[in-house]
Amino acid sequence: FGGAGAQILDLVCAHCSACGHNFAWNVLGTDVSDAKRRRRDLPCGHWAFRLEFRCSLHLRDSADRAETFEAFVADGQGELFGAAPQAVVSDPSARLQAQRRLDGILKSAEHPRPSTHCIAVYRSDGVGDASGAYVICDTTIEMIEGTA
C-alpha cells in the first residue's frame, strides 16, 4: 500500500472496461458520475470504465515468517476497504471509513501477531506474466476495535 501514511484515494483508479488500462481516478475530473453520464473518453479513447481499488499486498505466512509473496488487489465493489471506490471519492464519510480500514491494515502489518485471517487469492497466468500473479478478490477484512 505504500506504508504508513498511505491515503485511500491513492489506491483508487479508473479502470477501462474495454482495454483494461488504469488511470488516476480523477483523470476526467472529480465528478466521476458526470464523466460517465457524458461518456467522456479516458486517455485510451474508451468511455466505459469503473472505479476500482488497485494495489498490492505483501503477505506473510504467520506460521513461517520467511514465507512471503505479493498479491495484487483489484476491488471494484469495496469489499476489502468496506466502502465502494465510487463512494470513497464522492462521500467524505465513506472515505473516512475506508481510510480507517487501510490505517488498521497498515498498523497490523507493523505489529504482527498470530492471526487466523483467510484471504481469497487466485493465481492468474497469462501473457502479461508468464510466471503467474496472485490476485485478491471477494475478500472482506473486518477490523475489531482494539485488535489492530
Side-chain angles (χ1 to χ4, degrees):
F1 295 127
Q7 297 298 305
I8 194 68
L9 283 177
D10 295 338
L11 306 183
V12 180
C13 72
H15 177 76
C16 178
S17 301
C19 68
H21 282 94
N22 294 310
F23 304 95
W25 72 267
N26 57 356
V27 68
L28 300 175
T30 57
D31 190 344
V32 177
S33 295
D34 182 64
K36 292 178 98 171
R37 194 171 34 257
R38 294 174 184 253
R39 295 187 176 181
R40 294 193 48 214
D41 288 344
L42 292 168
C44 60
H46 302 113
W47 55 265
F49 70 96
R50 74 178 194 164
L51 295 184
E52 293 185 350
F53 292 111
R54 290 283 178 121
C55 58
S56 63
L57 287 172
H58 298 279
L59 303 175
R60 182 179 311 269
D61 189 323
S62 62
D64 180 3
R65 304 292 296 160
E67 186 69 33
T68 66
F69 71 95
E70 183 177 32
F72 297 94
V73 173
D75 180 6
Q77 302 302 313
E79 297 157 327
L80 188 61
F81 296 109
Q86 179 71 39
V88 167
V89 302
S90 61
D91 179 7
S93 64
R95 186 176 316 122
L96 181 60
Q97 174 186 351
Q99 184 65 50
R100 284 183 176 154
R101 177 104 28 120
L102 173 59
D103 292 344
I105 292 168
L106 293 173
K107 182 179 176 185
S108 66
E110 292 172 7
H111 307 287
R113 292 185 306 230
S115 171
T116 58
H117 291 302
C118 292
I119 297 177
V121 177
Y122 72 90
R123 184 179 167 131
S124 174
D125 297 316
V127 295
D129 189 352
S131 63
Y134 294 95
V135 179
I136 296 173
C137 63
D138 301 327
T139 296
T140 302
I141 295 177
E142 293 184 26
M143 303 304 286
I144 300 170
E145 196 65 36
T147 63

